[in-house]
Amino acid sequence: MTDALTFILTAVVKVLITIFVLLTAVAYTVWLERKVVGRMQNRWGPSRVGPFGLLQPLADGLKFIFKEDLTPPYVHQFVYILAPMLAVIMALTAIALVPIGPTITIGHITTPIQITGVMDANGHDSSDIGIGLLILLGITSISVYGVSLAGWSSNSKYSLLGSLRASAQMVSYEIALGLSLVGVLMISGTFSLREIVRQQQGGFWHWNIFGGFQFVAFFIYIMAAYAETNRIPFDLPEAETELVAGYHTEYSAMKFAMFFMAEYANMITVACVASVIFLGGWSGPIPSFLPPLLQSLLPVFYFLLRVFFFIFLYIWIRGTLPRFRYDQLMAFGWKFLLPLAIANIVITAFVIAVRG
Amino acid sequence: MLHLILFAIFGGICAGAALNMVVQKHPINSALSLIVVMVSLAMLYMLLGAEFVAAVQIIVYAGAIMVLFVFVIMLLNAGEEEHTKGSRVAMIFGFPSLIIGAGVLVYTLVLKGGNTVSLAIGQFHGRAEDISDLLFKNFLLPFEVTSVLILIAIIGAVLLAQKGGAE
C-alpha cells in the first residue's frame, strides 16, 4: 500500500510542479515577447511595473481577473463556455508527455522527470508510455475544437471567419507536422519519447537533426508548428486588419485569458517536442564531480535551454516576417511542405533499407 | 479493481453520450456527443491494452473526421432540427426489434458466455510493434489492396469536384 501511496504522491507533486512552472513560463514568455519585439522595433517594451517590467505578467493577470466577464447575446451558451476550457485543458495536458529530464533521486524515491514516466520493475531504468508521440498528436488534433467551436458559438461573422480559417489551417498543417516526424520515427523505431531521447545521447552528432540527416524534416516541423500555433507569419486566424481578433473577438476577461494561455502553452509544448525529437532532448555534458542532485538537474537545464532557443526563434520571426496571404498559406502547406515531407520519408526509408 | 472502475466510468460515458447524440436537437450538440463517444471508446481500447488502436481512434476519428463534421455544420450554419411526430412504422417495429436485439445480446453474453477467456493487462498484445508485425507480414496484401481502394476513392472525389467546377 505504501508503494501505491508513494506513486500517487510523487505523481501529484510532479503534476503540481510542472503546471506551476508551465504557467509561470507562459506568463514570462508573454513578457519576453513584448520586451524582445520592443527592442527589435526600437522601443522599450514594458518597463513600468517592477524592475525591467518583470511584474507586468502579474499586473496583466490581475487585470484579466477583475475585468467584467460579459457574454454577448445570442451566443450558443454551452459551447461558448466549453470552447476556452477545451483549448486550455488540451494545451496543459500535452506537457504531461514531454520527457524533461532523466531520473532524479530525493531521499529513497527515484523518479523520472516526466509526468507520465515510471521506473521499470528493476528500479534502474525509466520508461514512459509506448505511444507517447501518438497521444501528443491526438491531443493536438483535439485542440482544434477549442478554436473552431469558439468562433462558431460566438455568433459573430468575424469570429466565424477567423475560426474557419484557423481550423482549415490547423487541419492542413497537422498533416505536414505528422509526416515530418515519421522520418525520426523510422530511425528510432519507437513512439516512446523517452526512448527517442535516449537514442540521441552522446554528443550533438547523435541528434536526429544531424546524425539522422533530418534537417529537412526539422524545417518542415518548424514551419508546420508555427501554423499550428497560429503564430506570425501564419497568424491569419487573428489577422487584426481583416478580422478584428479572429475566433476570440467576442471573448472577454478570463475566457480570453484562457485562449491566450492556451496559445502560449502550445508554443512551449511545440518547442519541447522539437527539442525532444530533433535536438536530443536533455542530452549535454555532465561533469561527474558535481553532487548527484545537480547532476540530475543539469540535463533539465540543457533541455530548457533548447526550449528557450525555440521560444526566442518564435519571437524573432514575429519581429521579422510579415503575414502571408491566405491562398499563399494553403499553397505553401499543401503544395510545398506536404510533398517535401513525403520525399523526406521516402529518402529516409531508402537509406535505412540500404544500410540494412 | 481499478480496471473495473475505469471500465464502468468510460463505458457509462460512452453509452450516455451515444444516447445524447440521438436525443439532441441541435446538430452541433450531436456532433460533440459523437466526439465524446469516440474518445471514450478510445479509452476502452486502452483498457483492453490496444494502445495503438486507441491513439489512432483519437487521431483519425475524434481528430480528423469529426473536425470535418463540425466544419460542415459550421459552414452550413445548421439550426435546430424540427421534430416530426415519428412515423408509425418506427413505433410499431422499432421498439420490439430493439427489445429483441437487446435480448439476443444479453442471451449470448450471459448464457453462452462460458467459453470466454479473461486476460490481465499486458497479456493482450496491441502495441504498435505487434500491429505492424501483423499488417506488414501476415496481412500485407489485404493492407495494400485497402490502400489502393482508398486511393481510388480519393481520385474519384477529385474528379467529381473538378466536374462541378467546370460547369
Side-chain angles (χ1 to χ4, degrees):
Chain A
M1 196 58 214
T2 53
D3 269 2
L5 202 66
T6 328
F7 176 77
I8 291 171
L9 274 181
T10 22
V12 168
V13 168
K14 279 199 281 191
V15 168
L16 287 180
I17 291 177
T18 314
I19 292 288
F20 176 74
V21 171
L22 179 65
L23 290 183
T24 315
V26 164
Y28 277 93
T29 307
V30 180
W31 173 82
L32 186 78
E33 174 159 16
R34 292 175 65 178
K35 207 71 182 167
V36 172
V37 170
R39 277 312 178 114
M40 284 172 181
Q41 295 166 350
N42 245 339
R43 52 188 176 84
W44 282 104
S47 60
R48 296 299 172 91
V49 196
F52 307 106
L54 269 172
L55 295 178
Q56 186 68 41
L58 209 67
D60 285 346
L62 277 177
K63 192 189 79 173
F64 274 130
I65 293 171
F66 287 121
K67 284 248 173 173
E68 186 187 355
D69 184 11
L70 44 87
T71 308
Y74 307 113
V75 297
H76 195 287
Q77 194 79 34
F78 174 68
V79 181
Y80 180 79
I81 295 169
L82 177 76
M85 284 161 68
L86 206 62
V88 84
I89 288 172
M90 288 306 154
L92 294 185
T93 314
I95 201 78
L97 295 150
V98 175
I100 296 163
T103 57
I104 186 169
T105 308
I106 294 172
H108 62 282
I109 301 168
T110 304
T111 181
I113 310 178
Q114 176 187 17
I115 291 181
T116 53
V118 287
M119 297 307 288
D120 280 348
N122 55 22
H124 294 300
D125 265 345
S126 52
S127 62
D128 68 337
I129 312 175
I131 47 162
L133 194 63
L134 284 181
I135 294 189
L136 214 56
L137 287 178
I139 292 174
T140 321
S141 60
I142 295 281
S143 62
V144 177
Y145 290 116
V147 173
S148 59
L149 290 177
W152 178 81
S153 66
S154 310
N155 193 33
S156 141
K157 52 177 174 284
Y158 295 122
S159 299
L160 184 65
L161 282 174
S163 81
L164 282 178
R165 276 185 178 187
S167 18
Q169 169 181 335
M170 284 164 95
V171 170
S172 308
Y173 276 76
E174 217 172 81
I175 302 169
L177 187 89
L179 287 181
S180 72
L181 301 175
V182 172
V184 172
L185 289 180
M186 282 193 296
I187 291 171
S188 54
T190 175
F191 287 117
S192 155
L193 292 169
R194 233 182 153 66
E195 189 55 39
I196 291 176
V197 172
R198 207 171 283 146
Q199 287 175 2
Q200 302 177 61
Q201 300 292 320
F204 67 88
W205 54 92
H206 288 290
W207 296 354
N208 278 328
I209 179 172
F210 302 121
F213 290 102
Q214 292 299 312
F215 35 81
V216 177
F218 180 70
F219 167 75
I220 299 167
Y221 178 86
I222 293 287
M223 291 295 111
Y226 282 24
E228 279 286 303
T229 47
N230 297 334
R231 293 282 302 179
I232 286 180
F234 303 114
D235 71 333
L236 273 298
E238 35 198 285
E240 305 91 355
T241 41
E242 305 156 29
L243 292 175
V244 188
Y247 57 89
H248 50 59
T249 307
E250 304 293 334
Y251 283 88
S252 56
M254 262 336 257
K255 293 205 196 83
F256 170 74
M258 278 180 176
F259 280 119
F260 209 64
M261 265 157 60
E263 186 184 327
Y264 280 84
N266 276 332
M267 268 169 67
I268 291 175
T269 312
V270 157
C272 286
V273 174
S275 340
V276 165
I277 300 282
F278 294 103
L279 296 189
W282 65 73
S283 68
I286 299 159
S288 52
F289 57 80
L290 291 173
L293 189 67
L294 216 59
Q295 274 193 32
S296 50
L297 284 181
L298 203 56
V300 177
F301 172 72
Y302 288 136
F303 182 75
L304 295 183
L305 212 62
R306 289 178 174 91
V307 174
F308 179 79
F309 161 72
F310 277 107
I311 300 285
F312 191 80
L313 198 65
Y314 263 111
I315 298 168
W316 192 359
I317 286 184
R318 187 197 153 165
T320 311
L321 292 179
R323 188 177 291 138
F324 272 56
R325 225 172 49 220
Y326 197 68
D327 58 319
Q328 288 174 333
L329 168 97
M330 279 299 168
F332 183 68
W334 285 103
K335 293 182 184 166
F336 180 66
L337 284 187
L338 189 61
L340 198 65
I342 292 173
N344 178 59
I345 292 173
V346 171
I347 292 171
T348 312
F350 187 72
V351 170
I352 290 176
V354 166
R355 276 191 189 170
Chain B
M1 188 57 199
L2 186 66
H3 203 227
L4 198 67
I5 295 172
L6 286 175
F7 175 78
I9 292 174
F10 287 115
I13 292 177
C14 190
L19 204 65
N20 190 42
M21 189 199 94
V22 183
V23 173
Q24 283 291 340
K25 283 181 185 173
H26 204 290
I28 205 96
N29 291 348
S30 299
L32 287 180
S33 314
L34 194 54
I35 296 166
V36 175
V37 173
M38 299 294 185
V39 174
S40 44
L41 266 183
M43 293 306 151
L44 292 181
Y45 292 149
M46 195 93 86
L47 284 177
L48 287 173
E51 45 179 36
F52 183 74
V53 181
V56 169
Q57 166 90 8
I58 290 185
I59 294 173
V60 173
Y61 285 94
I65 294 181
M66 286 315 295
V67 165
L68 285 183
F69 272 53
V70 171
F71 214 77
V72 169
I73 294 171
M74 277 164 59
L75 274 177
L76 295 180
N77 206 8
E80 297 216 344
E81 287 174 4
E82 287 178 19
H83 263 229
T84 56
K85 297 265 180 183
S87 72
R88 192 167 291 165
V89 183
M91 290 296 270
I92 293 172
F93 291 105
F95 285 107
S97 52
L98 184 73
I99 290 167
I100 290 168
V104 169
L105 259 181
V106 169
Y107 174 74
T108 36
L109 287 182
V110 174
L111 297 179
K112 298 270 182 175
N115 51 4
T116 54
V117 185
S118 59
L119 286 170
I121 304 178
Q123 276 184 301
F124 181 81
H125 293 298
R127 296 173 307 147
E129 291 91 328
D130 304 315
I131 287 180
S132 57
D133 263 357
L134 282 177
L135 273 186
F136 292 105
K137 285 178 184 163
N138 301 11
F139 300 106
L140 183 61
L141 186 67
F143 177 68
E144 294 295 340
V145 169
T146 314
S147 59
V148 171
L149 194 68
I150 293 172
L151 187 67
I152 293 170
I154 293 172
I155 294 172
V158 169
L159 259 179
L160 283 177
Q162 268 187 344
K163 204 175 170 186
E167 282 165 1

